[in-house]
């Protein structure tokens, strides 16, 4: 019986990279997990659950804390963490999740366009692989899991 792997897909939410990886790896024994990718739901969970805040700092703080329950748990349970950095938006949460995964000793694979190489050099240094296309992530997973 082969192991069922858990792969956490972190980062950028404005493209189809997660779906491309999941489709490409559909034949592999992988359960994919991710943060909440509905931007509005993620941003507003704290105030929707715990009550309104007048100050946006505390609104964001509540949401970040509640989101961290999910992300930290899923990262701790993951066999591999893939973090995608896009070129249009600042993904501070992705940088945090990459750092958290590395600190937790999780194998980290980073996905970003080549033009972000310099900006992400410290993140890349913590990764076991750096890819520029979701198809490369699929092949890394295929190699690590099926060979």
């Amino acid at each position: 019986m082969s192991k069922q792997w858990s792969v956490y897909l972190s980062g950028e939410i404005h493209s189809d990279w997660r779906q491309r990886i999941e489709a490409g790896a559909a034949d592999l024994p992988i359960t994919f997990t991710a943060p909440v990718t509905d931007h509005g739901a993620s941003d507003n969970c704290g105030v929707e659950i715990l009550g309104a805040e007048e100050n946006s700092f505390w609104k964001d703080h509540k949401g970040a804390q509640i989101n961290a329950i999910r992300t930290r748990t899923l990262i701790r349970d993951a066999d591999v963490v893939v973090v995608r950095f896009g070129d249009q938006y600042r993904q501070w949460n992705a940088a945090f999740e990459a750092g958290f995964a590395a600190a937790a000793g999780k194998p980290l694979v980073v996905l970003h366009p080549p033009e972000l190489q310099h900006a992400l050099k410290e993140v890349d240094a913590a990764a076991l692989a750096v890819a520029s296309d979701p198809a490369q992530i699929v092949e890394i997973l295929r190699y690590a899991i099926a060979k």
Side-chain angles (χ1 to χ4, degrees):
M1 182 168 155
S2 80
K3 170 184 171 50
Q4 183 70 27
W5 289 64
S6 174
V7 175
Y8 183 80
L9 302 175
S10 171
E12 185 262 320
I13 64 170
H14 302 285
S15 68
D16 67 349
W17 71 274
R18 282 183 181 83
Q19 293 78 13
R20 291 172 58 196
I21 291 170
E22 290 173 6
D27 62 324
L28 296 174
I30 299 175
T31 300
F32 289 100
T33 60
V36 173
T37 58
D38 177 321
H39 200 152
S42 176
D43 283 354
N44 294 318
C45 68
V47 294
E48 287 180 5
I49 296 168
L50 300 174
E53 289 291 341
E54 291 181 26
N55 184 311
S56 63
F57 172 85
W58 292 112
K59 174 190 180 251
D60 291 345
H61 182 77
K62 281 182 177 179
Q65 295 294 95
I66 290 175
N67 280 305
I69 295 168
R70 176 186 180 95
T71 59
R72 291 180 189 182
T73 300
L74 292 175
I75 289 170
R76 274 192 212 107
D77 292 345
D79 296 301
V80 177
V81 175
V82 176
V83 181
R84 159 84 172 142
F85 292 88
D87 54 2
Q88 292 184 325
Y89 303 94
R90 294 181 185 149
Q91 288 111 30
W92 306 119
N93 59 326
F96 168 78
E97 290 179 7
F100 183 79
K106 299 297 177 175
L108 177 63
V109 180
V110 175
L111 173 62
H112 63 72
E115 56 270 16
L116 295 182
Q117 181 179 358
H118 179 73
L120 293 170
K121 62 187 176 292
E122 288 83 6
V123 174
D124 289 353
L128 295 179
V130 179
S132 60
D133 186 88
Q136 293 173 317
I137 300 294
V138 171
E139 290 310 308
I140 291 167
L141 294 172
R142 186 171 306 288
Y143 179 84
I145 293 169
K147 290 288 182 191

